[in-house]
Amino acid sequence: MEALKQELKSKIIEVLNLEDIAVEDINDNDALFGDGLGLDSIDALELIVLLDKEYGIKLTDPKDGKAIFESIETMSKYIAANRTK
Amino acid sequence: MKANNYISNYCVIENNSVILNSGREFELQNGSFSEFAKAAYKNFNMEYPKFFKMDNLSKLAFLGSEIILKELVNQEENNNIALVFANRSSSLDTDVKYQNSIADKDNYFPSPAVFVYTLPNICIGEISIKYKLQSENAFFVFEEFNAGFITNYANLLLETNKAEKVLCGWVECYQENYKAVVYLVEKQGHTEHNEETVNTLYNK
């Protein structure tokens, strides 16, 4: 699980062009949206694409995203339980 | 009788260099546009992480605008600065990138972050967001730089009190070919705003 979290942080930084943020700057329980990393609605869509492209997970109901994308911790748990690749 | 309007500040960006009001403010000897844009961002101490999410056209327009406006505009005030921009290639630079990302049906992952930049006027939206502008704005696509049209349009906005100032810009960007000429037009200044002086800026 720890390796997945590190991989996820690295991919998020790359995909979302978070220029001034390093893997070690992101804590597992930091909020990804709002006061945490400050991601926006387009970033949320990119995260949905990332789940599909990298882990073979298709989110059919966007409402699920709110809980899944709360933090690295929640994302990694969801990926570990649902990944198809 | 028409009141004269003036060009108070201008910025020209091309060939990895930035000219501000006739002085060369920054230059990168070698590098792609992306490398140049990042280096210019850091050189001018811009603190706006969203810059790195923008496409190249928006980065170009943002750099030219920010270099002029950051010392002149108090973002806490209500600034009635209209934005009138134009170019030749519209958003083709990003359109092509987006098309390439969806060309393979077996590897079909359209990027929302790329798609949102497949319109040229998004770049003036980025400037409006940064400066909280709720002013007139327009983006035109011309075959060539059209000083006459942009000059008339900017003068009309000022003469009809639609705006207190007008930030005009030619922001052409396709692949590694780019050029930005951004200038602020207002009712006071030293360089008279007319087709001839605007053409002179473009040809600097």
Side-chain angles (χ1 to χ4, degrees), chain A residues 10-74:
Chain A
S10 177
K11 284 187 191 299
I12 287 174
I13 288 169
E14 181 192 340
V15 170
L16 303 185
N17 294 310
L18 303 179
E19 180 70 19
D20 294 324
I21 294 175
V23 168
E24 50 273 21
D25 296 332
I26 307 175
N27 295 314
D28 293 353
N29 291 303
D30 282 351
L32 296 180
F33 293 86
D35 292 338
L37 278 186
L39 305 186
D40 60 22
S41 57
I42 300 297
D43 294 324
L45 296 173
E46 283 293 335
L47 291 181
I48 292 173
V49 174
L50 185 146
L51 284 189
D52 187 6
K53 188 174 182 179
E54 302 293 335
Y55 304 105
I57 299 171
K58 288 189 188 296
L59 275 191
T60 50
D61 187 352
K63 287 180 198 155
D64 295 341
K66 192 170 182 184
I68 297 165
F69 299 137
E70 197 175 312
S71 65
I72 293 293
E73 182 73 30
T74 57

Side-chain angles (χ1 to χ4, degrees), chain A residues 16-18 39-40 43, chain B residues 49-55 113 117:
Chain A
L16 303 185
N17 294 310
L18 303 179
L39 305 186
D40 60 22
D43 294 324
Chain B
K50 193 171 187 292
F51 177 80
F52 296 103
K53 294 173 181 284
M54 296 178 194
D55 74 341
Y117 288 102

Side-chain angles (χ1 to χ4, degrees), chain B residues 83-103:
Chain B
L83 304 174
V84 182
F85 278 58
N87 75 0
R88 174 187 170 87
S89 298
S90 184
S91 57
L92 188 61
D93 185 59
T94 297
D95 297 347
V96 169
K97 286 174 184 161
Y98 184 73
Q99 173 62 30
N100 289 340
S101 78
I102 59 172

Side-chain angles (χ1 to χ4, degrees), chain B residues 52-70:
Chain B
F52 296 103
K53 294 173 181 284
M54 296 178 194
D55 74 341
N56 283 346
L57 176 61
S58 287
K59 281 180 179 171
L60 183 62
F62 187 88
L63 282 173
S65 305
E66 179 76 358
I67 289 165
I68 289 177
L69 294 181
K70 71 173 187 165

